[in-house]
Amino acid sequence: MEKMGINQDMLDAAEDIGASLERSNEGLLLVQERLASLQQQARTLDNDAQEKYKQAKQLLESNNEERARDLLLDRTKLQEKLKKVLLQCAEEKERVQQMERNVEALSERASEMDAMLRRAVGARTTQEVNDLDMRMSVDDPLLQKFKDAGLE
């Protein structure tokens, strides 16, 4: 790699960025899955609370106030759980957004590193071509004869 213009520090930095980007992408997927799970849990709790309300309403219509009250208390408990889960959803959504920003920043850094490595290889190649051209122009007796004759 040294011959290509890339030193060990450059390689280490590129590997570190690549590993960090991979870990960040994995972490982002986990956080997104957690958010989806919390959202599903919230939908389930909401559906259950609505069902309890419908049942309580039917029981009230049939004059079973005691059982209706129990169902409404159950509904209240479900709604409290739902509030907690919705707060967790909001927090998890913030985490997802932060992770997305982190992944984007690492992606940009990886692109910058890639461009730097390409520039280093390009610079090294240009230098080698220039060195070869200089050697040819200095060492080649046939080229010297053409130059002397003014036939470059």
Side-chain angles (χ1 to χ4, degrees), residues 36-139:
S37 175
L38 285 169
Q39 289 170 332
Q40 180 59 45
Q41 185 180 3
R43 282 189 289 275
T44 300
L45 287 169
D46 187 47
N47 290 338
D48 291 350
Q50 288 178 21
E51 186 61 33
K52 296 280 185 195
Y53 182 76
K54 286 179 189 177
Q55 291 172 355
K57 191 174 176 183
Q58 289 171 352
L59 288 170
L60 276 176
E61 290 172 359
S62 64
N63 292 326
N64 191 346
E65 291 181 19
E66 179 93 18
R67 181 70 181 125
R69 185 181 9 247
D70 291 342
L71 287 175
L72 290 174
L73 288 173
D74 289 346
R75 175 181 178 241
T76 302
K77 290 176 186 175
L78 287 172
Q79 287 175 324
E80 290 300 317
K81 286 182 185 178
L82 177 60
K83 287 177 188 176
K84 290 177 184 177
V85 171
L86 289 174
L87 286 173
Q88 291 174 341
C89 282
E91 291 170 357
E92 205 65 22
K93 187 164 178 86
E94 287 178 25
R95 280 190 205 97
V96 167
Q97 292 170 341
Q98 181 62 47
M99 290 290 290
E100 288 172 339
R101 287 189 296 269
N102 291 346
V103 167
E104 180 63 29
L106 280 170
S107 292
E108 288 175 15
R109 182 68 181 122
S111 294
E112 291 170 3
M113 180 58 71
D114 181 57
M116 184 183 73
L117 293 174
R118 289 178 188 275
R119 283 192 306 271
V121 170
R124 181 64 178 204
T125 302
T126 301
Q127 182 63 41
E128 287 175 359
V129 168
N130 289 339
D131 290 348
L132 181 62
D133 187 41
M134 290 294 290
R135 281 189 304 233
M136 285 183 65
S137 65
V138 171
D139 297 339

Side-chain angles (χ1 to χ4, degrees), residues 3-63:
K3 289 183 179 182
M4 294 176 67
I6 300 173
N7 63 35
Q8 190 60 44
D9 290 339
M10 295 167 107
L11 284 176
D12 290 345
E15 288 176 6
D16 288 346
I17 290 170
S20 293
L21 183 57
E22 187 175 332
R23 284 191 308 272
S24 293
N25 276 319
E26 290 170 359
L28 176 58
L29 287 175
L30 290 173
V31 173
Q32 288 170 331
E33 288 171 4
R34 168 97 170 120
L35 176 59
S37 175
L38 285 169
Q39 289 170 332
Q40 180 59 45
Q41 185 180 3
R43 282 189 289 275
T44 300
L45 287 169
D46 187 47
N47 290 338
D48 291 350
Q50 288 178 21
E51 186 61 33
K52 296 280 185 195
Y53 182 76
K54 286 179 189 177
Q55 291 172 355
K57 191 174 176 183
Q58 289 171 352
L59 288 170
L60 276 176
E61 290 172 359
S62 64
N63 292 326

Side-chain angles (χ1 to χ4, degrees), residues 136-152:
M136 285 183 65
S137 65
V138 171
D139 297 339
D140 192 348
L142 185 59
L143 282 176
Q144 189 60 42
K145 285 184 182 181
F146 282 120
K147 284 184 182 179
D148 291 343
L151 300 172
E152 283 187 76

